[in-house]
Amino acid sequence: MNLDLLIPEYVRNFEAYTPSRPDHLLQEEYGVSHLHRLNNNENTLGPPAAAVRVIADFSPDLAVVYPSGDSYDLREALSRRFDICRDRFLVTNGSCEAITSIIKAFCQQGDNIITADKTFAVYEWVAEFSGVEARLVPLRDYAYDPQGLLDRIDARTKIIFICNPNNPTGSYWTKQVLIDFLEKVGENRLVVVDEAYCEYVEDPEFPDAMELMERFPNVVSFRTFSKMYALAGLRAGYLTGTRDVVDVVRRTSVTYSVNVQAQMAAKAALSDDREHIAATRTMVKQARLFLCKVCTDLGLETVGGEGNYLMIKVPINDLLMYRRLMKRGMMVRSMTGFRFPGWIRVTLREMAVMESFAEALTEEIREIRNVRV
Ligand SMILES: *Cc1c(COP(=O)(O)O)cnc(C)c1O
Protein backbone atom coordinates (compact mmCIF):
# COMPACT_ATOMS: atom_id res chain seq x y z
CA MET A 1 0.00 0.00 0.00
CA ASN A 2 1.47 3.33 -1.01
CA LEU A 3 0.10 5.77 1.52
CA ASP A 4 1.92 8.64 -0.14
CA LEU A 5 -0.58 8.46 -2.98
CA LEU A 6 -3.36 9.17 -0.52
CA ILE A 7 -1.82 11.86 1.63
CA PRO A 8 -2.01 15.53 0.68
CA GLU A 9 1.46 17.02 0.43
CA TYR A 10 0.92 19.40 3.34
CA VAL A 11 0.04 16.47 5.61
CA ARG A 12 2.93 14.34 4.34
CA ASN A 13 5.38 17.06 5.27
CA PHE A 14 3.87 17.75 8.67
CA GLU A 15 5.44 16.24 11.74
CA ALA A 16 2.99 15.22 14.46
CA TYR A 17 3.26 16.78 17.90
CA THR A 18 4.65 14.41 20.50
CA PRO A 19 2.82 14.78 23.81
CA SER A 20 4.81 14.09 26.97
CA ARG A 21 4.49 10.58 28.36
CA PRO A 22 2.35 9.82 31.41
CA ASP A 23 3.80 10.99 34.71
CA HIS A 24 4.24 7.47 36.11
CA LEU A 25 6.54 6.54 33.20
CA LEU A 26 8.50 9.77 33.51
CA GLN A 27 8.91 9.22 37.25
CA GLU A 28 10.34 5.80 36.54
CA GLU A 29 12.68 7.09 33.86
CA TYR A 30 14.02 9.95 35.98
CA GLY A 31 14.01 8.02 39.25
CA VAL A 32 11.75 10.33 41.22
CA SER A 33 8.72 9.56 43.35
CA HIS A 34 6.91 12.81 42.56
CA LEU A 35 6.85 15.29 39.71
CA HIS A 36 5.92 18.94 40.15
CA ARG A 37 4.22 20.06 36.96
CA LEU A 38 5.57 23.45 35.95
CA ASN A 39 5.31 22.84 32.21
CA ASN A 40 1.72 23.50 31.10
CA ASN A 41 0.57 26.65 32.90
CA GLU A 42 -2.06 24.74 34.83
CA ASN A 43 -3.66 26.36 37.86
CA THR A 44 -2.88 23.88 40.63
CA LEU A 45 -5.15 25.67 43.11
CA GLY A 46 -7.83 23.64 41.36
CA PRO A 47 -11.20 24.76 39.97
CA PRO A 48 -13.59 27.13 41.78
CA ALA A 49 -15.46 25.42 44.64
CA ALA A 50 -18.78 25.17 42.79
CA ALA A 51 -17.07 23.35 39.92
CA VAL A 52 -15.33 20.99 42.33
CA ARG A 53 -18.76 20.06 43.75
CA VAL A 54 -20.25 19.45 40.31
CA ILE A 55 -17.36 17.15 39.40
CA ALA A 56 -17.50 15.26 42.71
CA ASP A 57 -21.27 14.76 42.45
CA PHE A 58 -21.23 13.75 38.79
CA SER A 59 -23.75 10.99 38.25
CA PRO A 60 -22.93 8.06 35.94
CA ASP A 61 -26.49 8.39 34.58
CA LEU A 62 -25.39 11.60 32.90
CA ALA A 63 -22.67 9.73 31.05
CA VAL A 64 -25.28 7.63 29.26
CA VAL A 65 -26.92 10.50 27.44
CA TYR A 66 -25.46 12.75 24.75
CA PRO A 67 -24.61 16.21 26.04
CA SER A 68 -26.31 19.36 24.84
CA GLY A 69 -25.05 19.64 21.27
CA ASP A 70 -24.66 23.39 21.50
CA SER A 71 -23.76 23.72 25.20
CA TYR A 72 -27.03 25.56 25.69
CA ASP A 73 -26.89 26.16 29.45
CA LEU A 74 -23.24 27.11 29.42
CA ARG A 75 -23.85 29.63 26.63
CA GLU A 76 -26.77 30.99 28.63
CA ALA A 77 -24.42 31.46 31.60
CA LEU A 78 -21.82 33.13 29.39
CA SER A 79 -24.51 35.36 27.98
CA ARG A 80 -25.55 36.52 31.46
CA ARG A 81 -21.97 37.02 32.57
CA PHE A 82 -20.86 39.10 29.60
CA ASP A 83 -24.20 40.61 28.58
CA ILE A 84 -23.81 39.30 25.04
CA CYS A 85 -26.48 37.30 23.20
CA ARG A 86 -26.01 33.54 23.66
CA ASP A 87 -25.89 32.97 19.90
CA ARG A 88 -22.66 34.89 19.75
CA PHE A 89 -20.82 32.21 21.77
CA LEU A 90 -19.57 28.92 20.42
CA VAL A 91 -18.38 26.47 23.07
CA THR A 92 -15.55 24.22 21.92
CA ASN A 93 -13.47 21.26 23.08
CA GLY A 94 -10.82 23.55 24.53
CA SER A 95 -9.88 26.63 22.56
CA CYS A 96 -7.63 24.44 20.44
CA GLU A 97 -10.81 23.21 18.74
CA ALA A 98 -11.82 26.82 18.12
CA ILE A 99 -8.53 27.38 16.29
CA THR A 100 -9.20 24.37 14.07
CA SER A 101 -12.81 25.31 13.39
CA ILE A 102 -12.14 28.91 12.45
CA ILE A 103 -9.30 28.00 10.09
CA LYS A 104 -11.43 25.31 8.44
CA ALA A 105 -14.37 27.70 8.16
CA PHE A 106 -12.54 30.58 6.52
CA CYS A 107 -9.38 29.31 4.86
CA GLN A 108 -8.70 27.25 1.78
CA GLN A 109 -5.46 26.25 0.10
CA GLY A 110 -3.55 29.30 -1.07
CA ASP A 111 -4.89 31.44 1.75
CA ASN A 112 -2.73 32.51 4.65
CA ILE A 113 -2.93 33.36 8.32
CA ILE A 114 -0.54 35.68 10.14
CA THR A 115 0.78 35.44 13.67
CA ALA A 116 4.03 35.81 15.61
CA ASP A 117 6.98 33.44 15.27
CA LYS A 118 7.27 32.87 19.00
CA THR A 119 3.81 32.26 20.34
CA PHE A 120 1.32 29.48 20.99
CA ALA A 121 2.18 27.10 18.16
CA VAL A 122 -1.28 25.65 17.48
CA TYR A 123 -2.28 28.47 15.09
CA GLU A 124 0.71 27.67 12.92
CA TRP A 125 0.28 23.90 13.14
CA VAL A 126 -3.41 23.83 12.24
CA ALA A 127 -2.79 26.16 9.32
CA GLU A 128 0.03 24.01 7.99
CA PHE A 129 -1.68 20.65 8.23
CA SER A 130 -4.71 22.25 6.57
CA GLY A 131 -2.71 23.42 3.56
CA VAL A 132 -2.86 27.07 4.62
CA GLU A 133 0.27 29.20 4.76
CA ALA A 134 1.28 30.42 8.23
CA ARG A 135 3.14 33.73 8.01
CA LEU A 136 5.21 34.23 11.13
CA VAL A 137 6.30 37.71 12.10
CA PRO A 138 9.25 38.02 14.51
CA LEU A 139 8.49 39.36 17.97
CA ARG A 140 9.88 42.79 18.75
CA ASP A 141 11.18 43.22 22.31
CA TYR A 142 9.42 39.93 23.09
CA ALA A 143 6.04 41.34 21.97
CA TYR A 144 3.80 41.11 18.90
CA ASP A 145 4.90 43.71 16.35
CA PRO A 146 1.82 45.50 14.90
CA GLN A 147 3.60 47.00 11.90
CA GLY A 148 5.37 43.72 11.16
CA LEU A 149 1.99 41.96 11.01
CA LEU A 150 0.44 44.67 8.82
CA ASP A 151 3.34 44.44 6.37
CA ARG A 152 2.63 40.76 5.73
CA ILE A 153 -1.07 41.15 4.88
CA ASP A 154 -2.01 40.43 1.28
CA ALA A 155 -5.16 39.58 -0.69
CA ARG A 156 -5.11 35.98 0.58
CA THR A 157 -4.81 36.81 4.26
CA LYS A 158 -7.88 35.54 6.10
CA ILE A 159 -7.06 35.54 9.80
CA ILE A 160 -4.55 37.27 12.07
CA PHE A 161 -3.99 35.58 15.43
CA ILE A 162 -2.92 37.79 18.33
CA CYS A 163 -2.13 35.99 21.59
CA ASN A 164 -2.87 38.58 24.28
CA PRO A 165 -1.10 38.23 26.67
CA ASN A 166 1.40 36.25 24.67
CA ASN A 167 2.32 32.74 25.67
CA PRO A 168 5.26 32.36 26.39
CA THR A 169 6.59 35.93 26.79
CA GLY A 170 3.73 37.43 28.83
CA SER A 171 3.78 40.63 26.76
CA TYR A 172 0.47 42.19 25.73
CA TRP A 173 -1.01 44.92 23.61
CA THR A 174 -2.85 47.67 25.45
CA LYS A 175 -6.31 48.69 24.32
CA GLN A 176 -4.87 51.60 22.34
CA VAL A 177 -2.37 49.42 20.48
CA LEU A 178 -5.09 46.92 19.60
CA ILE A 179 -7.51 49.61 18.41
CA ASP A 180 -4.84 51.28 16.24
CA PHE A 181 -4.05 47.89 14.76
CA LEU A 182 -7.71 47.10 14.04
CA GLU A 183 -8.18 50.44 12.33
CA LYS A 184 -5.28 49.73 10.03
CA VAL A 185 -6.27 46.14 9.28
CA GLY A 186 -9.72 47.18 8.07
CA GLU A 187 -12.78 44.96 7.94
CA ASN A 188 -11.80 42.41 5.36
CA ARG A 189 -9.95 39.89 7.46
CA LEU A 190 -10.59 38.39 10.85
CA VAL A 191 -8.54 39.30 13.90
CA VAL A 192 -8.60 36.55 16.52
CA VAL A 193 -7.56 37.71 19.97
CA ASP A 194 -6.58 34.65 21.99
CA GLU A 195 -7.37 35.68 25.55
CA ALA A 196 -6.47 32.37 27.21
CA TYR A 197 -4.84 34.22 30.11
CA CYS A 198 -6.98 37.36 30.25
CA GLU A 199 -8.38 36.50 33.69
CA TYR A 200 -4.87 36.85 35.11
CA VAL A 201 -4.38 40.42 33.92
CA GLU A 202 -4.96 43.36 36.26
CA ASP A 203 -3.74 46.29 34.15
CA PRO A 204 -6.76 48.56 33.37
CA GLU A 205 -5.20 49.32 29.97
CA PHE A 206 -5.57 45.66 28.98
CA PRO A 207 -8.17 45.34 26.21
CA ASP A 208 -11.31 43.22 26.32
CA ALA A 209 -11.83 41.91 22.79
CA MET A 210 -15.53 41.29 23.47
CA GLU A 211 -16.04 45.02 23.99
CA LEU A 212 -14.47 45.88 20.65
CA MET A 213 -16.79 43.81 18.48
CA GLU A 214 -19.45 46.51 18.15
CA ARG A 215 -16.95 48.79 16.53
CA PHE A 216 -14.85 46.10 14.82
CA PRO A 217 -17.12 43.25 13.68
CA ASN A 218 -14.10 41.30 12.40
CA VAL A 219 -12.80 40.71 15.94
CA VAL A 220 -13.12 37.24 17.44
CA SER A 221 -12.21 36.38 21.04
CA PHE A 222 -11.01 32.95 22.20
CA ARG A 223 -11.14 32.04 25.88
CA THR A 224 -10.70 28.84 27.81
CA PHE A 225 -11.62 27.08 31.04
CA SER A 226 -8.22 25.34 31.01
CA LYS A 227 -6.08 28.02 32.58
CA MET A 228 -7.55 30.29 35.27
CA TYR A 229 -10.50 27.93 35.83
CA ALA A 230 -8.26 24.87 36.19
CA LEU A 231 -10.40 22.57 34.04
CA ALA A 232 -7.75 21.66 31.45
CA GLY A 233 -8.49 17.94 31.76
CA LEU A 234 -12.17 18.40 30.88
CA ARG A 235 -11.55 20.47 27.71
CA ALA A 236 -13.84 23.48 27.40
CA GLY A 237 -13.23 26.78 25.70
CA TYR A 238 -15.35 29.31 23.87
CA LEU A 239 -15.23 31.67 20.99
CA THR A 240 -17.13 34.96 20.84
CA GLY A 241 -17.78 36.99 17.72
CA THR A 242 -20.55 38.70 15.83
CA ARG A 243 -23.53 36.49 15.11
CA ASP A 244 -22.46 36.21 11.44
CA VAL A 245 -18.93 35.08 12.23
CA VAL A 246 -20.09 32.57 14.85
CA ASP A 247 -22.67 31.15 12.44
CA VAL A 248 -19.93 30.41 9.94
CA VAL A 249 -17.52 28.85 12.45
CA ARG A 250 -20.31 26.65 13.80
CA ARG A 251 -20.52 24.92 10.39
CA THR A 252 -17.08 23.36 10.80
CA SER A 253 -17.45 22.41 14.47
CA VAL A 254 -18.27 18.86 15.42
CA THR A 255 -21.53 18.57 17.36
CA TYR A 256 -21.10 16.89 20.77
CA SER A 257 -17.40 17.68 20.96
CA VAL A 258 -17.90 19.23 24.42
CA ASN A 259 -18.78 16.57 26.96
CA VAL A 260 -21.50 16.91 29.57
CA GLN A 261 -19.23 17.08 32.60
CA ALA A 262 -17.14 19.82 30.99
CA GLN A 263 -20.28 21.85 30.25
CA MET A 264 -21.57 21.48 33.80
CA ALA A 265 -18.25 22.19 35.49
CA ALA A 266 -17.54 25.21 33.29
CA LYS A 267 -20.94 26.68 34.03
CA ALA A 268 -20.42 26.18 37.76
CA ALA A 269 -16.90 27.63 37.55
CA LEU A 270 -18.23 30.78 35.93
CA SER A 271 -20.82 31.22 38.68
CA ASP A 272 -18.27 31.05 41.48
CA ASP A 273 -15.08 32.67 40.25
CA ARG A 274 -14.64 35.90 42.18
CA GLU A 275 -12.62 34.59 45.13
CA HIS A 276 -10.97 31.97 42.97
CA ILE A 277 -9.58 34.57 40.58
CA ALA A 278 -8.44 36.81 43.43
CA ALA A 279 -6.66 33.93 45.19
CA THR A 280 -5.02 32.76 41.97
CA ARG A 281 -3.80 36.24 41.11
CA THR A 282 -2.32 36.65 44.58
CA MET A 283 -0.53 33.32 44.27
CA VAL A 284 0.87 34.16 40.84
CA LYS A 285 2.03 37.60 41.90
CA GLN A 286 3.85 36.23 44.92
CA ALA A 287 5.45 33.43 42.91
CA ARG A 288 6.58 35.81 40.18
CA LEU A 289 8.18 38.21 42.62
CA PHE A 290 9.96 35.39 44.39
CA LEU A 291 11.20 33.62 41.28
CA CYS A 292 12.38 36.82 39.58
CA LYS A 293 14.44 37.62 42.65
CA VAL A 294 15.93 34.11 42.72
CA CYS A 295 16.90 34.44 39.05
CA THR A 296 18.36 37.91 39.51
CA ASP A 297 20.47 36.60 42.38
CA LEU A 298 21.66 33.76 40.16
CA GLY A 299 22.40 36.19 37.33
CA LEU A 300 19.76 34.60 35.07
CA GLU A 301 17.74 36.70 32.65
CA THR A 302 13.93 36.38 32.84
CA VAL A 303 11.12 37.43 30.53
CA GLY A 304 7.58 37.71 31.80
CA GLY A 305 4.61 39.99 32.04
CA GLU A 306 1.07 38.79 32.54
CA GLY A 307 -0.09 35.18 32.72
CA ASN A 308 0.94 32.47 35.18
CA TYR A 309 4.34 31.72 33.66
CA LEU A 310 7.87 33.05 33.51
CA MET A 311 10.64 32.44 30.99
CA ILE A 312 14.15 31.91 32.31
CA LYS A 313 17.35 31.94 30.25
CA VAL A 314 19.60 29.07 31.26
CA PRO A 315 23.35 28.70 30.64
CA ILE A 316 23.05 25.31 28.90
CA ASN A 317 20.88 23.67 26.23
CA ASP A 318 17.25 23.87 27.40
CA LEU A 319 16.53 20.18 26.79
CA LEU A 320 19.52 19.24 28.96
CA MET A 321 18.27 21.64 31.61
CA TYR A 322 14.84 20.02 31.40
CA ARG A 323 16.40 16.60 32.00
CA ARG A 324 18.49 17.80 34.92
CA LEU A 325 15.47 19.40 36.57
CA MET A 326 13.37 16.28 35.91
CA LYS A 327 15.86 14.29 37.97
CA ARG A 328 14.96 16.63 40.80
CA GLY A 329 11.24 16.12 40.24
CA MET A 330 10.69 19.45 38.48
CA MET A 331 8.97 19.35 35.09
CA VAL A 332 9.44 22.61 33.18
CA ARG A 333 8.88 23.45 29.51
CA SER A 334 12.00 23.47 27.36
CA MET A 335 11.59 26.25 24.84
CA THR A 336 13.42 25.17 21.70
CA GLY A 337 10.03 24.13 20.31
CA PHE A 338 8.84 27.72 20.83
CA ARG A 339 11.93 28.93 18.92
CA PHE A 340 13.52 30.11 22.16
CA PRO A 341 16.56 27.81 22.43
CA GLY A 342 18.34 28.18 25.75
CA TRP A 343 15.20 29.18 27.64
CA ILE A 344 12.78 27.33 29.89
CA ARG A 345 9.23 28.35 30.81
CA VAL A 346 8.06 27.81 34.35
CA THR A 347 4.46 27.84 35.61
CA LEU A 348 3.93 30.13 38.60
CA ARG A 349 2.46 28.11 41.46
CA GLU A 350 2.13 27.91 45.24
CA MET A 351 5.12 29.21 47.22
CA ALA A 352 6.04 25.77 48.61
CA VAL A 353 6.54 24.44 45.08
CA MET A 354 8.29 27.62 43.94
CA GLU A 355 10.74 27.28 46.81
CA SER A 356 11.51 23.67 45.91
CA PHE A 357 11.97 24.69 42.31
CA ALA A 358 14.26 27.57 43.28
CA GLU A 359 16.37 25.16 45.30
CA ALA A 360 16.64 22.72 42.40
CA LEU A 361 17.46 25.48 39.93
CA THR A 362 20.06 27.02 42.23
CA GLU A 363 21.84 23.71 42.73
CA GLU A 364 21.84 22.95 39.01
CA ILE A 365 23.18 26.39 38.10
CA ARG A 366 25.94 26.07 40.70
CA GLU A 367 26.91 22.63 39.39
CA ILE A 368 26.93 23.82 35.81
CA ARG A 369 29.11 26.81 36.66
CA ASN A 370 31.53 24.74 38.76
CA VAL A 371 32.06 22.30 35.94
CA ARG A 372 32.75 25.14 33.56
CA VAL A 373 35.31 26.95 35.74
C1 LIG B 1 -3.42 26.84 26.87
C2 LIG B 1 -3.69 27.77 25.75
C3 LIG B 1 -4.81 27.66 24.92
C4 LIG B 1 -5.83 26.64 24.96
O1 LIG B 1 -6.00 25.65 25.57
P1 LIG B 1 -7.26 24.69 25.57
O2 LIG B 1 -6.94 23.81 26.69
O3 LIG B 1 -7.31 24.03 24.25
O4 LIG B 1 -8.46 25.55 25.82
C5 LIG B 1 -5.01 28.58 23.92
N1 LIG B 1 -4.16 29.57 23.74
C6 LIG B 1 -3.09 29.73 24.50
C7 LIG B 1 -2.20 30.86 24.25
C8 LIG B 1 -2.80 28.84 25.53
O5 LIG B 1 -1.70 29.00 26.26
Side-chain angles (χ1 to χ4, degrees):
M1 182 181 186
N2 186 356
L3 272 185
D4 278 352
L5 294 174
L6 298 176
I7 317 169
E9 193 185 331
Y10 50 85
V11 176
R12 197 181 310 145
N13 298 333
F14 189 80
E15 211 169 302
Y17 175 73
T18 315
S20 63
R21 277 166 298 150
D23 283 16
H24 65 96
L25 293 181
L26 291 170
Q27 283 167 18
E28 222 170 275
E29 176 176 347
Y30 288 96
V32 290
S33 58
H34 183 76
L35 268 179
H36 289 295
R37 302 183 64 92
L38 300 160
N39 60 327
N40 270 348
N41 301 343
E42 291 144 350
N43 180 359
T44 43
L45 284 187
V52 171
R53 282 194 296 276
V54 161
I55 295 166
D57 296 343
F58 186 75
S59 158
D61 292 343
L62 289 167
V64 176
V65 182
Y66 277 96
S68 165
D70 59 1
S71 303
Y72 190 93
D73 290 341
L74 176 52
R75 284 190 301 122
E76 191 61 37
L78 289 165
S79 170
R80 261 180 271 123
R81 158 59 65 92
F82 296 110
D83 197 21
I84 287 177
C85 171
R86 86 171 92 75
D87 297 333
R88 291 183 46 204
F89 294 99
L90 181 70
V91 179
T92 53
N93 185 264
S95 46
C96 286
E97 189 192 32
I99 297 170
T100 309
S101 297
I102 201 167
I103 288 178
K104 276 192 209 147
F106 286 99
C107 301
Q108 54 189 323
Q109 272 188 67
D111 289 343
N112 65 72
I113 63 130
I114 305 177
T115 190
D117 62 340
K118 294 166 179 169
T119 185
F120 192 56
V122 179
Y123 323 125
E124 174 190 343
W125 291 341
V126 173
E128 286 186 347
F129 67 56
S130 307
V132 171
E133 182 195 356
R135 300 190 165 180
L136 306 180
V137 176
L139 294 182
R140 213 183 160 96
D141 291 334
Y142 298 107
Y144 269 71
D145 171 16
Q147 191 56 49
L149 296 166
L150 291 167
D151 290 344
R152 298 298 309 275
I153 293 176
D154 69 9
R156 298 300 299 268
T157 302
K158 293 288 183 71
I159 310 173
I160 301 161
F161 287 93
I162 313 291
C163 188
N164 209 46
N166 189 33
N167 173 10
T169 58
S171 62
Y172 58 93
W173 283 0
T174 60
K175 191 167 176 178
Q176 199 49 57
V177 173
L178 180 57
I179 287 174
D180 287 349
F181 180 77
L182 291 169
E183 277 173 348
K184 287 177 185 149
V185 167
E187 286 200 337
N188 293 330
R189 55 258 322 158
L190 295 174
V191 175
V192 169
V193 187
D194 184 343
E195 303 181 301
Y197 299 94
C198 66
E199 298 90 355
Y200 285 93
V201 183
E202 296 184 55
D203 181 355
E205 300 300 315
F206 184 78
D208 177 342
M210 287 186 194
E211 281 176 8
L212 294 172
M213 289 170 196
E214 291 275 328
R215 190 168 152 202
F216 301 101
N218 57 324
V219 171
V220 183
S221 152
F222 284 9
R223 295 190 186 177
T224 179
F225 289 96
S226 297
K227 302 289 159 62
M228 173 58 85
Y229 291 97
L231 295 170
L234 294 187
R235 317 298 306 126
Y238 56 99
L239 158 168
T240 316
T242 63
R243 193 183 292 257
D244 290 343
V245 169
V246 172
D247 278 344
V248 175
V249 182
R250 194 180 293 117
R251 295 175 198 176
T252 55
S253 297
V254 179
T255 315
Y256 303 127
S257 69
V258 186
N259 73 72
V260 62
Q261 193 177 34
Q263 292 183 30
M264 292 168 65
K267 180 175 168 237
L270 208 57
S271 74
D272 182 29
D273 62 356
R274 192 187 296 256
E275 279 174 33
H276 172 81
I277 290 176
T280 304
R281 285 179 175 175
T282 303
M283 173 187 75
V284 167
K285 206 181 293 177
Q286 200 182 2
R288 185 190 310 284
L289 223 61
F290 169 77
L291 203 52
C292 283
K293 166 96 170 53
V294 168
C295 291
T296 307
D297 291 349
L298 288 171
L300 301 178
E301 194 183 332
T302 58
V303 166
E306 294 290 355
N308 62 337
Y309 44 86
L310 183 71
M311 282 175 53
I312 303 173
K313 190 161 193 223
V314 291
I316 56 168
N317 176 290
D318 50 293
L319 191 60
L320 289 179
M321 195 65 192
Y322 163 87
R323 293 195 186 124
R324 296 176 79 128
L325 289 167
M326 282 294 276
K327 288 185 196 154
R328 296 179 183 271
M330 297 291 157
M331 188 172 184
V332 301
R333 173 63 56 138
S334 68
M335 295 301 283
T336 294
F338 273 80
R339 302 193 178 90
F340 273 113
W343 291 77
I344 57 172
R345 191 195 63 201
V346 180
T347 303
L348 299 171
R349 292 186 47 180
E350 325 74 285
M351 277 308 288
V353 176
M354 291 291 93
E355 281 163 7
S356 308
F357 172 73
E359 214 171 286
L361 181 69
T362 303
E363 284 173 20
E364 285 303 333
I365 296 295
R366 293 217 173 109
E367 263 180 39
I368 291 162
R369 287 187 178 145
N370 279 340
V371 170
R372 284 203 172 166
V373 169

